[in-house]
Amino acid sequence: MTTSNHSALAVDFCGLNFNTPLVLLSGCVGFGEEYTRVKGFSNRDAGAICLKGTTLEPRLGNPPHRVCETPEGMINAIGLQNPGVDKVVNEILPQLDFNETRFIANVSGSTIEDYYETTKRFDDSPIDAIEINISCPNVKEGGVAFGNDPEMSARVVEACRKATNKPLITKLSPNQTDIAGNAQRCIDAGTDAFAAINTLMGMAIDIESRTPIIGNNQGGLSGPAIKPAALLKVHQVYQVCRDHGIPIIGQGGVSCAEDAIEFLIAGATAVGVGTALFYDPLVCQKINAGILEYLQRHELESVQQLTGTLQLHGH
Ligand SMILES: Cc1cc2nc3c(=O)[nH]c(=O)nc-3n(C[C@H](O)[C@H](O)[C@H](O)COP(=O)(O)O)c2cc1C
């Protein structure tokens, strides 16, 4: 038995059966085929895979440079390059093996109507769940401009809710003051789950030319550098999710089992792995094995027993 089909790792996420709590994150695995060419990699090592951000019309993305390495992380400003929802639904989804894992679409748009239409197209497809990205920092319209405004966040969620009965996951921006208040508005508007957090806005500067390294001037910071910020946000969002039974895909800088376990304890039901895949495509096997070892050492039967078990210090 490989670790990825060990029953202790299985989680129920909005009624979907994830065979491990790990979710491969949007933008880091293409459209689900990216890593299948890597020897030893299996989609089965993840409970779910989020596809690259998809919009109603195709997008070419931003000018280069689009990525830049930073201490313990990276900045990216891809700009949601994608072939458009019709191509994804008609040409890419039929090639995915839905026996291997669950597949989650990641929807973006410049207007509320874009979000509605794109979600509707995915609703009429075999996709297992739909994640609404209202937190992309790399596009001029929509994205984080919606995600940082609770009223607009709620309106996007409300529109997508009308477009589908599939599980709806709202991806929250860390670049806002009151993430828990925003989460509450999204719950009221009909979201089934959250993903937290998306990238933090950042910049890197070439001191010789005195210009930003990233073509888009600014981008989204990801990787281990953002983990402490992400853990606090997940803890805060969990405070409003707990009573509603709303699950969270905790994410931001996860690169080993200990990181994943921290997110589970903070309140996540599933844990995303993104940037770490770029330097170790086989990292999920190691994380799964490490979580299993922890469960055994703590005499826990299921990874689900860890969610939200954080004991705060009393004052
Ligand atoms: C190159 C790159 C592209 C990304 N593209 C998307 C995207 O299309 N949609 C989205 O919701 N998030 C996107 N993200 C954000 C990740 O899904 C994830 O939320 C974030 O990177 C934090 O996790 P990590 O530190 O494990 O990478 C992207 C991240 C990176 C590094």
Side-chain angles (χ1 to χ4, degrees):
M1 185 187 271
T2 63
T3 51
S4 60
N5 58 18
H6 198 293
S7 62
L9 287 177
V11 298
D12 177 302
F13 193 90
C14 295
L16 298 173
N17 178 27
F18 287 3
N19 56 355
T20 100
L22 302 187
V23 176
L24 307 191
L25 294 177
S26 183
C28 303
V29 281
F31 283 95
E33 79 305 350
E34 189 107 334
Y35 283 98
T36 51
R37 293 180 298 254
V38 176
K39 193 164 176 249
F41 178 91
S42 169
N43 280 343
R44 292 178 196 274
D45 291 325
I49 297 183
C50 289
L51 306 183
K52 174 63 188 165
T54 302
T55 48
L56 193 56
E57 302 296 337
R59 284 178 65 98
L60 289 173
N62 289 331
H65 296 300
R66 292 172 162 198
V67 294
C68 156
E69 195 168 345
T70 59
E72 290 288 317
M74 65 182 280
I75 295 177
N76 92 82
I78 308 295
L80 293 176
Q81 179 182 347
N82 78 95
V85 66
D86 288 335
K87 189 159 180 166
V88 173
V89 168
N90 298 328
E91 295 177 32
I92 296 175
L93 294 193
Q95 291 178 32
L96 298 178
D97 184 352
F98 282 76
N99 292 317
E100 288 181 339
T101 188
R102 307 275 58 83
F103 288 100
I104 302 173
N106 180 277
V107 167
S108 233
S110 305
T111 63
I112 290 181
E113 292 70 37
D114 283 354
Y115 278 97
Y116 173 84
E117 269 307 320
T118 310
T119 302
K120 189 110 195 87
R121 310 272 171 104
F122 276 118
D123 182 59
D124 195 19
S125 85
I127 205 81
D128 292 300
I130 299 168
E131 181 173 77
I132 332 170
N133 178 7
I134 47 167
S135 42
C136 181
N138 302 324
V139 287
K140 287 201 180 68
E141 294 158 327
V144 81
F146 287 166
N148 285 347
D149 176 345
E151 177 59 29
M152 287 304 288
S153 303
R155 283 179 58 196
V156 175
V157 173
E158 206 174 62
C160 295
R161 182 73 289 167
K162 285 188 189 132
T164 188
N165 286 324
K166 291 185 193 260
L168 205 55
I169 305 159
T170 304
K171 189 158 177 178
L172 295 169
S173 163
N175 305 295
Q176 58 179 319
T177 329
D178 182 10
I179 197 170
N182 193 332
Q184 183 61 59
R185 295 288 301 271
C186 294
I187 293 172
D188 297 341
T191 197
D192 297 306
F194 288 108
I197 57 172
N198 207 324
T199 50
L200 283 155
M201 284 183 189
M203 180 182 264
I205 295 175
D206 178 334
I207 58 168
E208 296 307 321
S209 63
R210 301 186 200 172
T211 55
I213 292 174
I214 294 285
N216 186 50
N217 295 324
Q218 64 181 58
L221 178 65
S222 63
I226 71 168
K227 193 188 76 172
L231 277 172
L232 179 61
K233 299 287 181 197
V234 167
H235 167 67
Q236 290 168 340
V237 172
Y238 181 66
Q239 304 314 306
V240 295
C241 287
R242 191 176 31 205
D243 296 340
H244 301 277
I246 301 256
I248 304 168
I249 306 174
Q251 59 198 267
V254 172
S255 64
C256 62
E258 289 75 13
D259 294 340
I261 292 164
E262 279 188 87
F263 274 96
L264 293 165
I265 292 170
T269 295
V271 180
V273 183
T275 301
L277 291 165
F278 295 137
Y279 50 87
D280 184 1
L282 305 184
V283 70
C284 288
Q285 293 167 9
K286 295 168 202 165
I287 298 178
N288 284 329
I291 296 174
L292 265 185
E293 186 276 324
Y294 177 90
L295 293 178
Q296 279 154 8
R297 194 156 41 84
H298 288 264
E299 297 179 354
L300 295 167
E301 282 162 20
S302 163
V303 70
Q304 300 189 97
Q305 291 171 282
L306 278 175
T307 298
T309 51
L310 182 67
Q311 310 275 315
L312 291 177
H313 298 296
H315 293 290

